[in-house]
Amino acid sequence: RAAPLTARGPAACYGTSITSAKIQVNGVHLHYQQTGEGSHAVLLLPGMLGSGQTDFGPQLKSMNKQLFTVVAWDPRGYGKSIPPSRDFPPDFFERDAKDAVDLMQALKFKKFSLLGWSDGGITALIAAAKYPNLIHKLVVWGANASVTQEDVRIYNGIRDVSKWSEKVRKPLEELYGHKYFAETCAAWVDGISHFAENSDGNICQQLLPDIKCPTFIIHGEKDPLVPQAHAEYIHKHIKGSR
């Protein structure tokens, strides 16, 4: 007779319950959540200041657990992957891409798909381009491959977190405390704005032609932070994307 699936038994790792754990990757302890037992592994990549739980609660709960094994991670300095504190060196997207791929390999997934939102979408684009043999499929939404002067103006509009809507602000304040949240948001604005100084405001434009996996690009018509031209650019430069 099969052992009953209890919170302490196999269901803690598989099945419909959600495991929460940390694993050492590239010198930091990265927090992740995992659920499902499907053969198709997917990594959910959160946006700026986000975590698996704040950005992907519905997906962790409701994605098909028979088809998919779902992993949501907290990038270093975000969510429960603190310490270290979050910083934004010029290569922070490349660093996140390497952390994300190395996390999945540490969890023994040979090939996996990436679902990236906002900054997580940028991270996913870089990972798909740089590690083509590991990435099965790619879905990004709210992503951009460059930063324009107009984007910098929009980013500076969210620098002061006290002006954010309570709905968006509250879960992040509960996660981080006001001070860390406010300081990290300001540091993010400075970090992302630096890309505008590059030729064409480049973040990862030159990598897009290297993405070979099936790619689906989604964009919200009313996205207040990322103008739709960014999604159109990504679509145009990833061959065969939809």
Side-chain angles (χ1 to χ4, degrees):
R1 194 166 75 83
L5 295 178
T6 66
R8 293 188 187 83
C13 303
Y14 308 107
T16 55
S17 68
I18 300 170
T19 310
S20 174
K22 280 188 162 185
I23 189 166
Q24 187 161 353
V25 177
N26 298 327
V28 294
H29 290 89
L30 294 175
H31 176 261
Y32 68 95
Q33 291 161 286
Q34 184 174 332
T35 188
E37 53 198 343
S39 58
H40 188 160
V42 298
L43 176 65
L44 309 176
L45 298 96
M48 170 265 265
L49 282 160
S51 66
Q53 193 55 52
T54 54
D55 288 12
F56 296 116
Q59 288 78 9
L60 284 163
K61 185 164 170 259
S62 305
M63 273 182 79
N64 186 315
K65 315 269 170 139
Q66 276 68 53
L67 285 180
F68 301 110
T69 297
V70 182
V71 179
W73 81 310
D74 299 354
R76 62 170 75 198
Y78 284 164
K80 293 180 178 169
S81 295
I82 304 172
S85 293
R86 182 71 185 186
D87 62 348
F88 299 94
D91 67 342
F92 74 89
F93 284 118
E94 281 84 0
R95 183 180 66 181
D96 282 348
K98 184 172 184 345
D99 281 349
V101 166
D102 291 351
L103 166 74
M104 291 300 277
Q105 293 202 289
L107 295 175
K108 303 288 188 276
F109 295 107
K110 290 185 174 59
K111 200 159 184 173
F112 46 92
S113 294
L114 301 172
L115 278 70
W117 134 248
S118 184
D119 272 16
I122 301 172
T123 300
L125 291 169
I126 294 169
K130 287 193 162 181
Y131 309 95
N133 299 336
L134 301 175
I135 309 307
H136 182 41
K137 294 184 176 183
L138 173 66
V139 183
V140 296
W141 63 106
N144 48 298
S146 65
V147 175
T148 67
Q149 290 301 329
E150 167 67 2
D151 294 330
V152 172
R153 193 185 64 74
I154 295 170
Y155 300 151
N156 274 297
I158 65 157
R159 182 187 290 271
D160 180 359
V161 296
S162 67
K163 296 196 174 93
W164 289 27
S165 76
E166 191 182 359
K167 183 185 170 198
V168 182
R169 188 180 73 233
K170 204 170 172 213
L172 292 169
E173 279 196 331
E174 283 170 5
L175 180 62
Y176 293 119
H178 178 77
K179 184 172 184 285
Y180 187 89
F181 171 46
E183 288 173 356
T184 307
C185 180
W188 176 84
V189 172
D190 292 337
I192 192 105
S193 296
H194 279 311
F195 291 103
E197 296 160 18
N198 294 343
S199 165
D200 289 334
N202 180 45
I203 301 174
C204 61
Q205 291 170 317
Q206 76 291 355
L207 293 175
L208 300 181
D210 295 341
I211 296 173
K212 303 291 187 252
C213 64
T215 300
F216 189 41
I217 299 148
I218 303 170
H219 202 76
E221 201 170 62
K222 297 177 180 173
D223 189 317
L225 211 56
V226 183
Q228 190 171 322
H230 285 299
E232 288 163 3
Y233 181 95
I234 293 167
H235 173 42
K236 188 178 167 191
H237 290 88
I238 299 178
K239 200 176 171 201
S241 63
R242 293 192 293 148

